[in-house]
Amino acid sequence: MPATRATAPGKSILFGEHAVVYGYPAIAVPITQVRAAAVVSPSPGKPSGAVQVQAPEIALDSPLNDLPLDDAIAKTIELTLAQLGIPTPPAFTLRISSTIPLAAGLGSGAAVSAAISRAVSAFLGHPLPDEAVNAIAFEVEKIHHGTPSGIDNTVVTYARPVYFIKGQPIQTFNVKTPFTIVIGDTGIKVSTAVTVGDVRQGWQADPEKFEPLFEGCGQIAEKARTLIETGQPKALGALMDENQTLLEHIGVSSPELETLIDAARKAGALGAKLSGGGRGGNMIALVPPGQAEIVAEALRAAGAANTITATIGADT
Ligand code: PMV
């Protein structure tokens, strides 16, 4: 059996995080500069069912059977084998690597799952279709997130801009005119399960406050899709600013995020907002053509641990 390799990109949520959990639309795009990769190779001489899992970046080198049941990698392999109806595969080694920063709102967990299920299923001679890969990555997301909307696994699996409404068929869409965002990482790692849980508590305590905020986020996502599809990306800046204000009211912003957002705006960004779960993690800024490095520099000067510049629509 020849070795197989598969990858999946990172992702960024442009509009609609948190509200998406309550059924409102959100927009996410693949970030193809960063990727997770999985390589599966045969382990000749080892007994059937012997699976070795290696992820040097997290110092993991372990037989599959020694991993805890709720381990995301183990769960992905188990779900992939179950989907294929192969309880005891020929012995193999799975090697995982990723350039997607961990726990930073860039979809690292979902991308690793998608890459693993693709590489393992291809190795076993039955490459799974995107729908099955997406379903497996969604199940695994539940370990990280508790009650995920499904947006992360969808965008990294299909590697296309996605207009996502929980529970509805997947809608990918085209970017008419490419545009550039700079992603700034606060360096603060916050569990999405915690922020999603806090928002749920707030909503339960005061639905009259939260429903209009969620609805506002959904309307912004809807407008943004039209602007992206009709080639008016500059106007997305104002929508980012509006979405940020709503996210502040929802209670998921933080002083560190706002420092970076202000720095980006002062350096010439057309708009900026937090992206993903919030309280830490990443913010994004829409930048005019040719201004990305100036904004990235301003973000680093304001304390960003890392920046990524991504042109959306240039490769889809
Ligand atoms: O923290 P991230 O980038 O994985 O984003 C989570 C997005 C939320 O809307 C907050 C949660 C979800 O499951 O959609």
Side-chain angles (χ1 to χ4, degrees):
M1 266 176 180
T4 52
R5 180 174 190 274
T7 70
K11 72 101 218 312
S12 177
I13 298 180
L14 297 187
F15 297 98
E17 51 275 272
H18 285 290
V20 69
V21 174
Y22 299 83
Y24 294 97
I27 290 180
V29 292
I31 302 296
T32 52
Q33 288 87 337
V34 286
R35 301 193 85 86
V39 175
V40 178
S41 47
S43 305
K46 296 258 181 74
S48 291
V51 174
Q52 186 72 16
V53 180
Q54 300 176 336
E57 287 145 10
I58 53 167
L60 176 69
D61 188 356
S62 165
L64 173 62
N65 291 339
D66 292 354
L67 294 177
L69 283 179
D70 64 351
D71 177 86
I73 296 170
K75 183 94 182 159
T76 306
I77 299 171
E78 180 206 313
L79 290 170
T80 303
L81 296 176
Q83 176 74 26
L84 296 172
I86 303 178
T88 312
F92 68 80
T93 299
L94 165 67
R95 195 175 169 89
I96 301 154
S97 59
S98 176
T99 54
I100 309 174
L102 281 172
L106 285 167
S108 141
V112 166
S113 293
I116 293 174
S117 58
R118 281 192 179 127
V120 169
S121 61
F123 176 76
L124 296 170
H126 302 282
L128 287 175
D130 284 345
E131 302 83 80
V133 169
N134 191 30
I136 289 169
F138 180 58
E139 279 310 303
V140 178
E141 280 291 281
K142 291 180 184 167
I143 300 176
H144 301 293
H145 279 192
T147 53
S149 64
I151 190 167
D152 281 20
N153 46 282
T154 302
V155 70
V156 306
T157 299
Y158 291 88
R160 303 251 310 128
V162 168
Y163 183 79
F164 184 87
I165 302 175
K166 191 175 165 178
Q168 289 200 10
I170 288 140
Q171 300 180 53
T172 57
F173 66 97
N174 290 322
V175 177
K176 186 160 183 214
T177 307
F179 56 95
T180 301
I181 60 169
V182 178
I183 304 170
D185 185 357
T186 59
I188 299 167
K189 305 210 180 306
V190 181
S191 147
T192 300
V194 169
T195 57
V196 169
D198 287 355
V199 173
R200 185 167 298 278
Q201 269 184 10
W203 169 70
Q204 279 165 345
D206 193 353
E208 277 158 29
K209 172 184 166 193
F210 278 77
E211 286 292 349
L213 294 171
F214 295 150
E215 203 179 319
C217 294
Q219 284 165 356
I220 289 171
E222 205 182 313
K223 284 187 204 155
R225 176 181 179 164
T226 306
L227 292 174
I228 295 170
E229 284 185 317
T230 57
Q232 307 175 68
K234 264 192 197 163
L236 294 172
L239 292 182
M240 283 189 181
D241 290 343
E242 267 180 55
N243 200 161
Q244 170 62 22
T245 302
L246 295 176
L247 288 161
E248 286 169 16
H249 290 298
I250 290 170
V252 290
S253 190
S254 73
E256 295 82 0
L257 281 163
E258 287 163 31
T259 298
L260 297 186
I261 289 165
D262 282 352
R265 288 177 183 152
K266 287 194 180 116
L270 302 167
K273 62 183 277 293
L274 70 85
S275 171
R279 297 262 172 83
N282 282 299
M283 49 71 67
I284 54 173
L286 179 74
V287 295
Q291 299 287 297
E293 196 35 50
I294 294 169
V295 173
E297 185 57 49
L299 287 173
R300 290 190 292 267
N306 182 31
T307 62
I308 296 173
T309 297
T311 298
I312 311 303
D315 53 2
T316 51

